[in-house]
Amino acid sequence: MRLDHVGIAVTSLKEALPVFEKLLGCRAESEEVVEDQKVRVAAFKVGESRLELLEATSADSPVARFVAKRGPGCHHLTLAVADLEETLVTLEQSGVRLIDRQPRLAAGNKRIAFLHPSSTCGVLIELVEEKPSGPNETSGGRTGRKSTK
């Protein structure tokens, strides 16, 4: 397990991108819209992890509700796991409350699932399945996602 990324909710990517570009000394490596989560994501590579800026694309999205209630800021931490389905079963059996019982697709066409903050000391935790890299790895399509770069 490793830290994959930190998700930061922002009110506007247009306003937030220059701030993080200046802070990190680089441009976002990618931008995309994740339709089913109603969010636009801009990602920065930071060492072995990433920062993802999250802008709601709809007033009824989870990120919009978060910003309305708490303001912009840290939205979630994402941990990479080898086998997402097995991890979810193990966590649920140990009493962790799951938001997602089954993996779903997210930014970068990755399989993810969220854990409820009531079980994780108030922190929204996202799990992402880390695929082993190697010569036989193939890249899939980007179903439900629109690249904005």
Side-chain angles (χ1 to χ4, degrees), residues 40-108:
R40 183 174 293 110
V41 180
F44 291 87
K45 182 83 171 152
V46 181
E48 295 299 314
S49 300
R50 293 184 334 278
L51 287 180
E52 289 188 355
L53 303 181
L54 312 168
E55 176 191 57
T57 58
S58 174
D60 67 342
S61 77
V63 169
R65 289 191 304 270
F66 177 91
V67 170
K69 185 175 181 180
R70 296 178 183 88
C74 187
H75 181 262
H76 67 271
L77 299 178
T78 301
L79 302 174
V81 299
D83 186 329
L84 184 54
E85 288 171 341
E86 180 181 312
T87 301
L88 290 172
V89 168
T90 301
L91 289 172
E92 188 171 38
Q93 288 174 347
S94 70
V96 173
R97 186 173 167 202
L98 308 179
I99 292 175
D100 300 305
R101 283 194 162 81
Q102 297 296 318
R104 57 181 158 133
L105 291 179

